[in-house]
Amino acid sequence: MAPKPKEKLKAAASPSQPPPPIEDLFTSLDRHIQRSEFIQAVKVANQVLSVAPGDEDAIRCKVVALIKADKIEEALSAIQSSQKVSFDFSFYKAYCLYRQNKLDEALEVLEKQDKTQPSMLLESQILYRLGKMDACVDICRNLQKVKIDSLEINLVAGLISAGRASEVQGTLDAIKTKATSSFELAYNIACSLIEGNKLKDAEKLLLTARRIGQETLTEENLADDDIEIELAPIAVQLAYVHQLLGQTQEAAGAYTDIVNRNLADEPSLAVAVNNLIAVKGPKEISDSLRKLDRLKEKDSQKFVLARAIDLKLSPKQKETIYANRVLLLLHANKMDQARELVAVLPEMFPDNVMPLLLQAAVLVRENKVGKAEEMLGQFAERFPEKSKIILLARAQVAAAAGHPQIAADSLAKVPDIQHMPATVATLVALKERAGDINGAAAVLDSAIKWWKTAMTEDDQLSVIMREAASFKLRHGKEEEAAHLYEELVKGNGNIEALVGLITTVAHANVEKAEAYEKQLKPLPGLKGADVDALEKTSGAKPVDGASRAGLAEAQEDGKTKEKPKKKRKRKPRYPKGFDPANPGPPPDPERWLPKRERSSYRPKRKDKRAAQVRGSQGAVVRDKNEPSASATNSNTSNSKSNQATSSKGVSQSAEPSRPQSKSSRKKSRK
């Protein structure tokens, strides 16, 4: 900010060197600020304050210059030392606290101030960082009356982060703004399309945003590396779209290129590393852990995100990175590190349930399933508003551990999904496994009652009634099953229900079953078939066009053939003292083979000492057929040369070839 022109003030002259005129100091101060030489501006501001202590303009210039120079701590000290000044530095103090990520303190300072345009903008930024997106959107809408550059970028980013991506297009129409007015806005709108699962449209808009950004930043004379850093979020988001489209190899290649080049800004690099790990899954765990180590503080022994990354990522993105770190440690069987990390996550994310789920995962991996179930159950009782995902996780853990009753009880405590077919089927299976047949039937009756009174387009009543009738018929409740089948037949005339009704009623009332049987339509191709003759063939398959005479002949042939005698099944005879319930280890399948033919056979080495030559020391015994020394030497040299040549060829051909090596981010340029 340019300082106001100051009148010449009287100041006591130093006996050694007179101070420069204060007008000259302010002129120099203005020149440094205009040139963005903020460190020099701070020095000149200190000179002014040495001549005129308490000068408001000098203090303001000093504070702003320190903030511009990223000297946030010194700026706060300067604000604290200027409490006697009449000027209110609360806005600057709130901004410094915001830069230090002390968001709650910054918001508390702002709430005591008047609602001005700068304070409202800063408040929206703080609320965005805190994850209070609805409040952030409300402030941005209130500021729409004032013409503020790039306000629509923040508004769209807030809507997407608040889970209101469907309102983005209506908001753009209301403020009469095109999606391609800037590459930042195009990027944010592409994020809203991703939320709406319009992936192809999002891909096209991201490519357009990259082209617009390239042209805009080139006109601003930015270097190529700086342009790539500015457009890094678009590159990461494009790779994420490819990942969602199932193009995993292309997405992994893009992520790897971003990580290896290391030209992305800190948040984009963190998202690229996290998504690359998600694409790889449990493969290359050591390499994934090393990549995550690039995101932590260099001086910290524990895994803590670097400050530059921690300040710019949203709470959801940071939570995802820590969760993936824990999962990788579990896959790598590094239980000590996983236990240490999950212990600090509840303090970092106190309002989220993910730390509790990760603690349960660690307990399950340590074979402490009972403790995990108890911990999840206690949390669900203390915080019923957050209990849905906790109860679902408890049901999954209990079902996998063979505790069907605990799993069914947990699933039954989630009221808003009790009528869904998948939930009904799971509850019935769990209660049936636990032996609670009446409880399973009650679940089916409750679901039928709900769907009878529900006013929804997705009617699942017929499906649940058909399954309920089949369940009750299977467990001996024929009357209830027949009643359900009868309702289905009267309701929509379902053929499967009619067949089930006939089968069910035939056990108790044959006449009623025959009456319903008449409602079945005759099958084509059975008009010329004699049912009585078919019943007498004892299961013979009818042939198209076969006459009754042919059927009679087949019947006579069947009578003449003698039935084969059934072999009597004998109980197996076991050796004395053998228990078939605990047979022990199986016998060796090679026990009847000779030892030399078994896979474990290893021939004994021949004793080389048996061929030692007997005689006096230094004597040489030669056979009659042994060749001369010269011939032996020549043959030996030839064999050595051949051996050297062949060994060299083997070493060259046997050399192995060298192996070759989330979460989406909705960025708002604020």
Side-chain angles (χ1 to χ4, degrees):
M1 58 175 289
K4 298 179 181 178
K6 302 293 292 184
E7 297 180 357
K8 188 173 182 179
L9 301 178
K10 294 182 180 180
S14 175
S16 59
Q17 183 178 0
I22 197 168
E23 292 179 351
D24 296 342
L25 290 175
F26 270 97
T27 302
S28 177
L29 180 59
D30 179 59
R31 183 174 63 254
H32 288 309
I33 291 176
Q34 295 296 334
R35 296 177 179 177
S36 299
E37 299 170 352
F38 300 114
I39 300 299
Q40 297 297 327
V42 172
K43 294 179 180 179
V44 177
N46 288 331
Q47 292 180 0
V48 174
L49 292 174
S50 65
V51 175
D55 187 279
E56 293 183 4
D57 289 337
I59 295 175
R60 289 175 62 190
C61 290
K62 179 180 178 180
V63 170
V64 173
L66 288 171
I67 293 174
K68 292 285 188 180
D70 290 333
K71 305 287 185 180
I72 306 301
E73 197 68 37
E74 297 180 17
L76 278 174
S77 300
I79 293 171
Q80 294 292 336
S81 62
S82 61
Q83 293 180 354
K84 297 180 180 180
V85 181
S86 60
F87 183 79
D88 189 6
F89 285 93
S90 298
F91 174 77
Y92 297 102
K93 181 179 180 181
Y95 182 78
C96 290
L97 293 172
Y98 163 74
R99 289 286 301 274
Q100 289 182 333
N101 208 31
K102 299 177 181 179
L103 304 178
D104 294 324
E105 298 180 27
L107 193 60
E108 184 179 354
V109 173
L110 278 181
E111 288 176 350
K112 299 177 182 179
Q113 306 301 314
D114 296 334
K115 297 295 183 181
T116 61
Q117 175 183 331
S119 65
M120 292 177 69
L121 278 173
L122 180 58
E123 185 179 0
S124 68
Q125 293 278 48
I126 295 172
L127 292 171
Y128 186 87
R129 285 274 189 91
L130 288 172
K132 300 178 180 179
M133 300 303 172
D134 292 327
C136 172
V137 170
D138 293 339
I139 294 177
C140 291
R141 289 193 185 280
N142 293 331
L143 288 172
Q144 284 182 0
K145 302 175 183 178
V146 186
K147 297 297 181 180
I148 301 177
D149 293 338
S150 303
L151 179 64
E152 67 276 1
I153 299 175
N154 294 0
L155 179 58
V156 171
L159 286 172
I160 297 170
S161 300
R164 298 159 59 181
S166 58
E167 302 178 20
V168 170
Q169 189 58 46
T171 302
L172 292 177
D173 296 339
I175 61 179
K176 298 179 180 180
T177 303
K178 293 183 179 180
T180 57
S181 59
S182 65
F183 72 92
E184 298 98 330
L185 182 60
Y187 169 82
N188 282 349
I189 295 174
C191 294
S192 70
L193 294 174
I194 294 173
E195 292 293 326
N197 202 27
K198 299 177 181 178
L199 302 179
K200 289 294 183 180
D201 296 338
E203 183 181 12
K204 293 179 182 178
L205 192 55
L206 285 172
L207 294 173
T208 303
R210 186 171 63 182
R211 178 181 55 79
I212 296 173
Q214 189 78 29
E215 295 173 357
T216 303
L217 298 174
T218 303
E219 291 176 359
E220 295 178 4
N221 296 324
L222 264 69
D224 292 340
D225 291 348
D226 295 335
I227 292 176
E228 188 170 354
I229 292 174
E230 288 290 331
L231 300 181
I234 299 177
V236 175
Q237 199 73 320
L238 268 173
Y240 179 64
V241 171
H242 293 154
Q243 180 180 349
L244 294 179
L245 288 171
Q247 303 169 4
T248 53
Q249 292 184 353
E250 186 175 353
Y255 290 138
T256 304
D257 183 63
I258 294 170
V259 173
N260 292 340
R261 297 185 67 180
N262 202 20
L263 287 177
D265 58 343
E266 291 86 355
S268 299
L269 180 62
V271 173
V273 169
N274 178 79
N275 291 2
L276 179 59
I277 292 172
V279 171
K280 289 183 177 180
K283 300 177 182 178
E284 303 179 12
I285 298 176
S286 300
D287 181 66
S288 298
L289 288 172
R290 284 194 298 270
K291 283 183 170 59
L292 275 181
D293 288 338
R294 296 177 56 178
L295 308 181
K296 73 173 187 177
E297 284 285 354
K298 295 182 180 179
D299 299 334
S300 176
Q301 297 295 330
K302 301 179 180 179
F303 184 79
V304 180
L305 288 177
R307 181 173 178 79
I309 297 176
D310 187 71
L311 292 177
K312 295 181 180 180
L313 288 181
S314 67
K316 183 64 176 178
Q317 290 172 327
K318 290 186 286 187
E319 183 185 50
T320 304
I321 292 176
Y322 280 107
N324 284 342
R325 174 78 178 188
V326 173
L327 295 178
L328 285 175
L329 292 174
L330 291 179
H331 281 297
N333 204 25
K334 297 182 178 181
M335 302 305 300
D336 294 337
Q337 297 182 30
R339 199 181 304 111
E340 182 181 4
L341 184 56
V342 298
V344 300
L345 291 183
E347 299 179 2
M348 300 172 63
F349 308 100
D351 298 331
N352 297 336
V353 298
M354 182 60 71
L356 184 70
L357 296 176
L358 293 174
Q359 288 179 348
V362 173
L363 290 174
V364 171
R365 186 63 182 272
E366 293 175 340
N367 294 326
K368 299 178 181 178
V369 179
K371 189 174 181 180
E373 293 173 353
E374 181 182 0
M375 180 183 65
L376 294 172
Q378 292 176 355
F379 183 90
E381 293 177 358
R382 290 199 309 268
F383 304 99
E385 69 280 359
K386 302 178 182 179
S387 62
K388 181 176 180 180
I389 188 172
I390 297 298
L391 290 172
L392 291 174
R394 185 170 183 255
Q396 183 178 3
V397 170
H403 304 154
Q405 192 60 48
I406 297 177
D409 294 342
S410 301
L411 201 58
K413 292 179 181 179
V414 187
D416 57 340
I417 63 171
Q418 295 302 303
H419 61 280
M420 301 302 294
T423 308
V424 173
T426 305
L427 278 171
V428 170
L430 290 172
K431 288 183 176 294
E432 193 174 10
R433 189 187 305 174
D436 187 7
I437 305 301
N438 294 329
V443 171
L444 291 167
D445 294 339
S446 177
I448 292 172
K449 183 179 179 180
W450 190 93
W451 281 105
K452 283 183 177 180
T453 58
M455 302 296 293
T456 59
E457 297 179 359
D458 187 18
D459 188 10
Q460 301 290 337
L461 178 61
S462 59
V463 177
I464 294 180
M465 287 182 67
R466 191 163 56 249
E467 295 299 327
S470 176
F471 173 83
K472 292 184 178 184
L473 181 62
R474 189 167 63 250
H475 290 282
K477 300 181 179 182
E478 288 85 359
E479 294 183 3
E480 298 180 16
H483 179 68
L484 290 173
Y485 279 131
E486 196 168 4
E487 285 189 21
L488 284 171
V489 171
K490 292 179 180 180
N492 52 15
N494 189 281
I495 298 299
E496 296 180 5
L498 182 58
V499 173
L501 177 60
I502 296 171
T503 306
T504 306
V505 175
H507 294 281
N509 192 340
V510 179
E511 296 179 357
K512 191 175 182 180
E514 290 178 350
Y516 280 115
E517 185 266 339
K518 294 179 180 179
Q519 299 181 17
L520 290 173
K521 296 180 180 180
L523 294 176
L526 294 180
K527 293 182 180 180
D530 188 352
V531 178
D532 296 333
L534 287 174
E535 290 179 354
K536 294 178 181 179
T537 56
S538 182
K541 294 182 180 180
V543 182
D544 293 340
S547 61
R548 297 181 62 182
L551 294 174
E553 292 176 2
Q555 182 180 358
E556 293 178 359
D557 293 341
K559 290 181 180 179
T560 57
K561 290 182 179 179
E562 295 182 358
K563 295 182 180 180
K565 295 182 180 180
K566 295 183 179 180
K567 293 183 179 180
R568 185 175 61 181
K569 295 182 179 179
R570 297 181 179 180
K571 294 182 179 180
R573 298 179 62 183
Y574 299 108
K576 186 177 181 180
F578 178 76
D579 185 7
N582 298 311
D588 185 8
E590 299 180 351
R591 61 189 182 278
W592 305 117
L593 295 176
K595 287 186 177 181
R596 63 179 177 275
E597 296 181 8
R598 299 181 189 179
S599 59
S600 60
Y601 174 72
R602 297 291 182 272
K604 293 183 179 181
R605 295 183 178 180
K606 295 182 179 181
D607 192 357
K608 297 181 179 180
R609 293 176 297 178
Q612 288 182 353
V613 179
R614 302 290 181 179
S616 59
Q617 184 176 3
V620 176
V621 180
R622 181 178 299 169
D623 295 338
K624 296 180 180 180
N625 298 327
E626 186 177 0
S628 62
S630 59
T632 304
N633 292 336
S634 62
N635 293 337
T636 303
S637 61
N638 292 336
S639 62
K640 287 183 178 181
S641 63
N642 294 335
Q643 183 180 0
T645 305
S646 61
S647 63
K648 182 178 180 181
V650 169
S651 64
Q652 290 174 349
S653 61
E655 183 179 358
S657 60
R658 181 174 301 176
Q660 297 179 0
S661 50
K662 191 328 8 198
S663 84
S664 67
R665 173 188 174 204
K666 306 169 185 68
K667 179 182 175 184
S668 171
R669 291 172 61 87
K670 302 186 179 181

